[in-house]
Amino acid sequence: MSDEPRETAGAETPVVNVTDKRRLYKDTMETAADVASSVESSLDAASKETAREVPGEPSGAEVPTVEQLQTQLQEREMQLRERDAQLARLREQVIEFEAKTQEELRETRRRLERTVEQRVLRARQALLEDWLVVFDNLDLMVAGAEKATKEDLLTGIVAMQRLLSQALQRHDIERIDAVGQPFDPQLHEAVETLTVAPEQDGRVVAQTRPGYRLGTHLIRPALVSVGRAEVSAAVLSETDIPANI
């Protein structure tokens, strides 16, 4: 058999020189070694990936010993005891905070009560000071009543009334004068009714005692007489007309 290449019609056959068999064997062995190295690298990477996916699982046939398990159990118990201690400290802090908050609330309530009492006391004191001025003038009037004329006494009484009205106004106390006003049950208390003209129907025609209010709060209503117009015979309803007419 000749080692020279043969040619076929219509195609070219590559030339392969097989005279150096040792060279061909060497190249084949190097290629097999490369393939084996690549397979080992792939297996090693797969093993590492599996180890990352199951971190707690022992590698290979390694099994934890009883001593290791006892050590892990003891560490777990210590962690649980530390957590129980932390919870106990937190409970103590919560109880302490609650007690402190309750004491602060009680102190705030006592402080507000003292503040309200002081304000009420100052308001009463200011009102009494104004009343004392009126009483001082009354004492002067009584002392000079024997020598005073009727006109002097009347002038003094009018002055006292003006002082009282000014004192009430300074303390936001308003006098309710209801005469001529429409009857209002929120401000007036009717003691009687009087016959009046139709235009005065439902209005206050007389006042027995004035009323007073502090701001929007009613202290006492005014005692009044309310007008009621007489019903004319011409406005009788059909039910009041005898049926035989």
Side-chain angles (χ1 to χ4, degrees):
M1 180 183 293
S2 175
D3 293 333
E4 294 181 359
R6 290 178 299 176
E7 295 181 358
T8 59
E12 293 183 359
T13 304
V15 179
V16 179
N17 189 1
V18 296
T19 56
D20 193 352
K21 296 181 177 181
R22 289 178 299 174
R23 177 71 178 178
L24 181 60
Y25 178 76
K26 183 178 180 180
D27 293 340
T28 303
M29 294 300 294
E30 289 178 354
T31 302
D34 292 338
V35 172
S37 177
S38 177
V39 171
E40 289 178 359
S41 299
S42 300
L43 290 174
D44 186 50
S47 298
K48 292 181 179 180
E49 184 66 23
T50 304
R52 285 196 298 269
E53 292 178 357
V54 188
E57 184 177 350
S59 61
E62 183 181 354
V63 177
T65 63
V66 176
E67 290 78 7
Q68 292 176 344
L69 292 175
Q70 290 179 348
T71 302
Q72 294 178 0
L73 181 60
Q74 291 175 357
E75 292 178 353
R76 185 62 177 172
E77 290 178 350
M78 290 180 60
Q79 293 176 357
L80 291 176
R81 285 196 293 269
E82 290 178 358
R83 291 183 181 179
D84 290 340
Q86 291 178 357
L87 289 175
R89 289 193 295 270
L90 288 174
R91 291 193 190 96
E92 292 177 356
Q93 292 176 1
V94 169
I95 294 173
E96 182 180 357
F97 177 77
E98 183 178 1
K100 183 178 179 181
T101 303
Q102 292 295 333
E103 180 61 28
E104 289 178 353
L105 289 175
R106 286 191 292 269
E107 181 61 28
T108 302
R109 187 180 297 108
R110 288 192 293 266
R111 184 168 60 252
L112 290 175
E113 290 176 354
R114 289 195 299 268
T115 301
V116 172
E117 291 177 356
Q118 291 174 359
R119 289 181 179 178
V120 172
L121 180 60
R122 286 195 296 269
R124 294 175 63 183
Q125 182 176 356
L127 179 61
L128 289 175
E129 288 176 355
D130 289 336
W131 277 92
L132 290 177
V133 174
V134 177
F135 280 113
D136 291 339
N137 284 275
L138 285 174
D139 291 339
L140 293 175
M141 286 181 60
V142 172
E146 295 180 355
K147 299 179 181 180
T149 62
K150 181 179 179 181
E151 290 77 11
D152 293 336
L153 292 176
L154 181 60
T155 302
I157 292 173
V158 173
M160 293 300 100
Q161 186 182 31
R162 184 172 60 253
L163 286 175
L164 284 173
S165 297
Q166 293 174 356
L168 294 177
Q169 291 176 1
R170 281 194 295 270
H171 294 279
D172 198 23
I173 299 176
E174 180 184 358
R175 176 185 171 117
I176 300 175
D177 289 321
V179 177
Q181 300 296 324
F183 177 76
D184 185 355
Q186 300 295 329
L187 301 176
H188 311 143
E189 182 179 346
V191 294
E192 63 177 350
T193 57
L194 300 176
T195 302
V196 294
E199 61 271 13
Q200 294 294 325
D201 184 58
R203 291 184 174 272
V204 176
V205 295
Q207 178 173 275
T208 305
R209 186 191 68 184
Y212 291 91
R213 59 184 172 188
L214 176 61
T216 58
H217 174 70
L218 182 66
I219 298 176
R220 75 178 190 186
L223 299 181
V224 298
S225 300
V226 183
R228 285 289 180 264
E230 291 184 350
V231 179
S232 174
V235 296
L236 290 175
S237 63
E238 295 181 0
T239 56
D240 294 331
I241 301 176
N244 55 0
I245 298 180

